[in-house]
Amino acid sequence: MAECVRLDSSTSTHTMDKSITLPPDEIFRNLENAKRFAIDIGGSLTKLAYYSTVQHKVAKVRSFDHSAKEASSDKLYEISVQEEVTARLHFIKFENAYIETCLDFIRDHLVNTETKVIKATGGGAHKFKELIERKLGLKVDKEDEMTCLIKGCNFVLRNIPHEAFVYAKHADSEFRFQTTQPDIFPYLLVNIGSGVSIVKVESEDKFERIGGSSIGGGTFWGLGALLTKTKRFDELLQLASKGQHTSVDMLVKDIYGGSYGSLGLTGDLIASSFGKSATANKEFSQEDMAKSLLHMISNDIGQLACLYAKLHNLSRVYFGGFFIRGHPVTMHTITYSINFFTKGEVQALFLRHEGYLGAIGAFLKGAEEDNPNQYSWGENYAGSSGLMSVSPEMNPMQRARSGTFDMLEMDRLERKLVNLPLLQDPSSYIPDTVDLIEDALAREYWLYCFEDALDGVVKRAVASQPDMPEAAERAEKFRQKYRHKLQTLRQQPFAYGSLTVRSLLDTREHCLNEFNFPDPYSKIKQKENDMALKYYQKAVKSLDELSWEERQFALVRGVLAGNVFDWGAKAVSDVLESDPEFGFAQAKQQLEERPWLIDSFDRWFERLKGPPHRCALFFVDNSGVDIILGVMPFVRELLSRGTEVVLASNSGPALNDVTNGELQILTERIAAMDPVIQAGLSEDRLTLVQSGSSSPCLDLSRLDKVLANVVRERKTDLVIIEGMGRAIHTNYYAMLSCESLKMAVIKNSWLADRLGGKLFSVVFKYEVPDGQPSQDSAAS
Amino acid sequence: MAFNGHQRDDEGIDEDETPTKQPRSDKEKPSDEASASAGRAASDRRTSNSTARLRSDSVKKTRPPFPWFGMDIGGTLVKLVYFEPKDITAEEEQEEVENLKSIRRYLTSNIAYGKTGIRDVHLELPDLTLCGRTGNLHFIRFPTHDLPVFLQMVRNKHFSSLHTALCATGGGAYKFESDFRKMADLQLHKLDELDCLIRGVLYIDSVVSSGPSECYYFENPTDPDLCAQKPYTLENPYPLLLVNIGSGVSILAVYSENNYKRVTGTSLGGGTFLGLCCLLTGCSTFEEALEMASQGESTRVDKLVRDIYGGDYERFGLPGWAVASSFGNMMSREKRESVSKEDLARATLVTITNNIGSITRMCALNENIERVVFVGNFLRVNTLSMKLLAYAMDYWSKGQLKALFLQHEVNHSSTHLDHRDQTLFFMSCFDVRHLF
């Protein structure tokens, strides 16, 4: 009884609004090659889902054939921009009033004719069946509502980080997002439509409706309409939010005069809902009655949910349905009720994309032959509206959202993503160091910082495509899009889940991709790599001349100095832009002298005196000096010690980070100059893997499955994470089950300040998990 | 309300209700008669420390002076029991102060007091022997909001001059304690509501063992034609779930006479039924609301499973007749305009009753208890709700759970009462809860 038959009496007075013009750039994107339609029609909102293939420009690197001694270019490798086709899921939510306009639009723009069927769910599917069939010429195929709901729920829980959140009305940040659990099952889904369904979900295909209640959203709406003059659901909620339930409800203190101490019942508890209205000669305000009704229904649902959760021993309880759907008022009352009845043992969880579950599920039903569940998917921040609050008092701007379209886009990722097997506790792992939703000062700084850096990014994007005259225009569109995202995030920091430096960076990458700037740094990276390679042998030679002790320190300093070269960090890009000759030596001089801000070098040094590690996993950062003169000599030393090395680099471009494609070529070139690297490659002791990510940051819970397998096979016992994005913005507090080394130079004065350091302060964090003595201490 | 466990402490209770703690209990001399009755009590009742101690005391010693009153001051109703002695000797008659006579005459010669006070004549228990005295037990009720009027009357009748302590329970015993003191110069002897409730139910249970069955259930609750009230013998009552439906609802798990906990409660109770009915229909009394409900049709108000799915929702085993959304049809203006007040009253009754049944069933499962006794003034003259509860418990538990009710108009023969001491008299105040 999820969303069924929400007969809003007012819909009859609404005429279908056909005058609406749809901006095709924004809504119903990629309709030309859309297929596999699904639709979920609720009482007031329609959710449409389809699958499309998206042509992306991607930058590819290809090594020149150096054996042919070509003279055409002195470049290291060739960069080409190619078209790549990826799969994308589109979900659009709009008011039922626009359904006809939307169907017309789809019919007019749909090119693909393979589609014969549209999967449909929701109470309104029946009502609009004839219209859909006539307009689209597709056969409407009805799917069970609950099945769709559960399928959709599993999908978002698995694929969207920070999908679930806890709602806390009076906290600094109302939304507290939950980390994605490695195992999403079992859970309880309490769907509050006109009635309530309580479903226990045990696996992808196994779920059971274990109970329900007839007191649900329909009761609130129906009784509310009888008791007040307000006939619309949203308005009833608004009314309720202004009322005082204590004038209608009989509280414990109304009966006892205070609390009922022996039972621990406080005086403010409701003893009898509507208990004070049991009189014929008193008028009650509509607001008060609506509030009392809201409390009565929310408490009742919360209580039943708790009883079912207790009986089935479930601690994860998600709430959905139109009664909840983004309404702060009901999220608050349900949360309150759950806290009360379980004394905080169970948390009420809500979902960011709750409104889309049915549509996603129906779509997945229809797409079973494409096997969407075998892939990993990622939310495309550029094409998704994000979570909006419908509460008028939260943000007056948002009332204007009526008549607008809400969108969610999910990109099929090329690689299946999994947890790093070396995480100490995957269920408590949080990649991000600072939650900008909770930290208002940090939020303000970073939003400003990203806005401030926007001009530079636009400039570089244009410069990266000198042969394309329309690049400037596209770059301008990018600017608008990203600026708009930043503005949205200023208003609603929770719009895309936890707001972090990582999410801000990723959103920028998504927006750049959206406007076909797949790799604005490709040429810079190429130039830097080229330059750095020329110094490689010299650098290695000078390191080899040092004593073992001196060399260990020099190698670490080399990695750190190399990491100063980072176009991603604003302070550095300023220097580099003004003085391209800024050299490796100068970078070393910039480095903070020991003791560093975080300095466990001595312990690392002691450790190196012990037996070699079996295998080191190295998450690398930037192109050029960083990877070639900093990381590679370090890797070389590890190999010489007898440690196998797995180099993990980004699958796709992000800023000036070295990509897997580029690193392949660089490594080959270095191997040609360096027998140690050469031997490492040929003996399979040096392995290059992709991280599965295209982000300047690192989420160890979403890594390429191949990487995870390699890590396991090689019995990796050391993880090295380098760079500000991967070791400070993210993973600074990550706990691993093996030794780890986090190395970075702080190239942002604000962040340095925060961490108690200064610009170019060094973080060198060597950690050994509890209970595992480091090799040296075991030896001594 | 809360899942507040309330583990009873045996000794504490005995202490509380030991007569020595009662005011005036040690003013009178012991008598043989009392010892004899206490001895009898020991032979057919569980022996406990308190009864053992009681045995050594005398009824006369513990017997309070007249008038004998007990009050349960609930959120909606005040329930008053009054013991009218019929064995007053000429000597006593002479000694009796005028006040006492006037109170007795006032209470026994009227059936209505003021605008809202009512004596339930049909509940009167005649020829009852209590603490060695024989008389009639009267049951009077009035709305809690008229308590000030009552206090005024008590004051006018100089009740306080009788030096009596008034036994009271219910939340109002706490809330209005100072009002009783200030307005009527009366000291309330407060008794814990739930203690009393349990004692009351158990007392009835003890009566059942040798008298006509107090407890009953509905046979064939799912078949309206065959549904019939049947006596039920609570030979071994524990554990049982006790659902007390007053203005709100308390659900207690009772493991023994002195070991119970409040499992949970809900604010959707009798007060909600009446409160919503008053708002929706303009009625003002419980009787009116019930009368309307009996004539209405809830399916016009509620949205049923079949209204949504055209029949049963087989995928989840939901029958078409089940309510999918209480008041769900009222989302539509046309349907709002077509329902009667009676339909609304009926739907309110069905909604509240089903919800209590649903929460009770979940508690029974969580506590692993199969027997449920429903009591409380919501069920007073409310066969509709009782049958509905019986039906819901039976249907949704697939026959696993039994809904039990207590016979309100129980024939209390004096043989069961004659051994009662003062403690039992106080308890009888709580039997009252069930008699109403």
Side-chain angles (χ1 to χ4, degrees), chain B residues 11 82 86 112 122 131 161 225 275 289 337 359:
Chain B
E11 289 201 358
Y82 168 63
K86 293 301 244 186
H122 64 287
C131 301
S161 67
D225 296 330
E337 283 163 359
I359 290 173

Side-chain angles (χ1 to χ4, degrees), chain A residues 158-229:
Chain A
R158 217 191 330 260
N159 289 291
I160 305 186
H162 299 148
E163 174 62 29
F165 62 89
V166 166
Y167 184 79
K169 189 182 178 187
H170 302 296
D172 284 343
S173 57
E174 283 154 294
F175 298 79
R176 265 182 290 134
F177 293 95
Q178 308 292 297
T179 48
T180 309
Q181 296 293 312
D183 188 4
I184 60 171
F185 305 109
Y187 66 85
L188 203 62
L189 179 68
V190 180
N191 194 59
I192 315 173
S194 46
V196 181
S197 280
I198 300 176
V199 186
K200 176 185 176 183
V201 186
E202 285 175 284
S203 71
E204 186 58 47
D205 300 307
K206 192 172 176 217
F207 67 90
E208 187 192 352
R209 184 187 189 277
I210 54 174
S213 168
S214 66
I215 300 186
T219 315
F220 178 72
W221 193 345
L223 257 177
L226 289 169
L227 293 172
T228 71
K229 291 192 176 66

Side-chain angles (χ1 to χ4, degrees), chain B residues 180-432:
Chain B
F180 271 87
R181 204 172 48 239
K182 285 181 202 146
M183 291 175 65
D185 192 24
L186 269 179
Q187 195 67 40
L188 288 186
H189 180 74
K190 302 191 296 297
L191 295 165
D192 182 80
E193 187 170 0
L194 295 182
D195 288 352
C196 294
L197 173 64
I198 304 274
R199 289 287 175 113
V201 171
L202 294 175
Y203 162 68
I204 285 176
D205 166 43
S206 77
V207 170
V208 168
S209 60
S210 50
S213 195
E214 165 66 21
C215 198
Y216 66 92
Y217 69 101
F218 288 95
E219 197 179 50
N220 304 314
T222 50
D223 186 335
D225 296 330
L226 295 174
C227 181
Q229 198 172 317
K230 293 276 173 182
Y232 185 87
T233 312
L234 265 179
E235 272 172 11
N236 180 11
Y238 308 114
L240 67 85
L241 209 59
L242 184 60
V243 183
N244 182 34
I245 316 174
S247 304
V249 181
S250 272
I251 301 179
L252 314 174
V254 187
Y255 300 102
S256 75
E257 186 177 350
N258 293 320
N259 180 9
Y260 70 88
K261 65 175 182 182
R262 183 176 186 275
V263 179
T264 188
T266 166
S267 68
L268 283 83
T272 315
F273 165 65
L274 184 53
L276 279 174
C277 276
C278 291
L279 293 173
L280 294 171
T281 70
C283 73
S284 59
T285 67
F286 184 66
E287 289 72 14
E288 261 181 276
L290 267 189
E291 176 57 26
M292 270 200 268
S294 69
Q295 289 163 20
E297 183 58 73
S298 63
T299 54
R300 282 199 278 266
V301 179
D302 294 339
K303 192 180 288 294
L304 307 187
V305 168
R306 66 165 177 257
D307 295 332
I308 298 174
Y309 295 97
D312 298 348
Y313 190 7
E314 281 162 22
R315 175 79 175 77
F316 294 115
L318 288 176
W321 53 259
V323 182
S325 174
S326 297
F327 286 85
N329 280 342
M330 299 298 93
M331 290 187 277
S332 131
R333 194 189 56 208
E334 295 75 30
K335 290 192 172 146
R336 276 200 297 277
E337 283 163 359
S338 73
V339 293
S340 68
K341 287 180 173 186
E342 287 77 12
D343 295 338
L344 291 171
R346 178 65 165 242
T348 310
L349 188 79
V350 169
T351 302
I352 300 295
T353 306
N354 273 338
N355 190 59
I356 293 169
S358 177
I359 290 173
T360 301
R361 193 172 63 84
M362 289 310 295
C363 289
L365 285 170
N366 272 322
E367 299 299 320
N368 204 13
I369 295 175
E370 288 179 359
R371 245 183 321 230
V372 183
V373 180
F374 290 95
V375 298
N377 61 39
F378 175 66
L379 298 177
R380 181 167 57 90
V381 294
N382 187 357
T383 318
L384 219 55
S385 285
M386 288 191 281
K387 283 192 175 172
L388 206 56
L389 282 170
Y391 182 107
M393 300 303 281
D394 186 82
Y395 183 87
W396 294 110
S397 76
K398 300 189 173 72
Q400 288 296 299
L401 287 172
K402 206 165 213 78
L404 303 172
F405 304 92
L406 296 181
Q407 193 71 259
H408 297 161
E409 285 80 18
V410 63
N411 178 15
H412 284 236
S413 70
S414 55
T415 52
H416 300 116
L417 297 168
D418 61 4
H419 61 251
R420 289 203 302 174
D421 50 33
Q422 185 185 16
T423 311
L424 284 177
F425 169 63
F426 291 134
M427 276 190 224
S428 75
C429 303
F430 300 100
D431 303 345
V432 171

Side-chain angles (χ1 to χ4, degrees), chain A residues 37-48:
Chain A
F37 283 83
I39 196 162
D40 173 12
I41 308 176
S44 53
L45 293 174
T46 297
K47 281 78 64 175
L48 187 80

Side-chain angles (χ1 to χ4, degrees), chain A residues 256-300:
Chain A
Y256 286 87
S259 64
Y260 188 176
S262 65
L263 292 183
L265 303 179
T266 61
D268 287 329
L269 280 184
I270 304 170
S272 176
S273 294
F274 286 91
K276 281 185 195 155
S277 67
T279 162
N281 43 25
K282 202 175 157 204
E283 287 288 313
F284 295 89
S285 88
Q286 301 199 22
E287 287 83 357
D288 293 352
M289 287 189 291
K291 177 73 160 221
S292 175
L293 187 60
L294 177 68
H295 276 306
M296 175 180 105
I297 288 164
S298 299
N299 286 340
D300 192 55

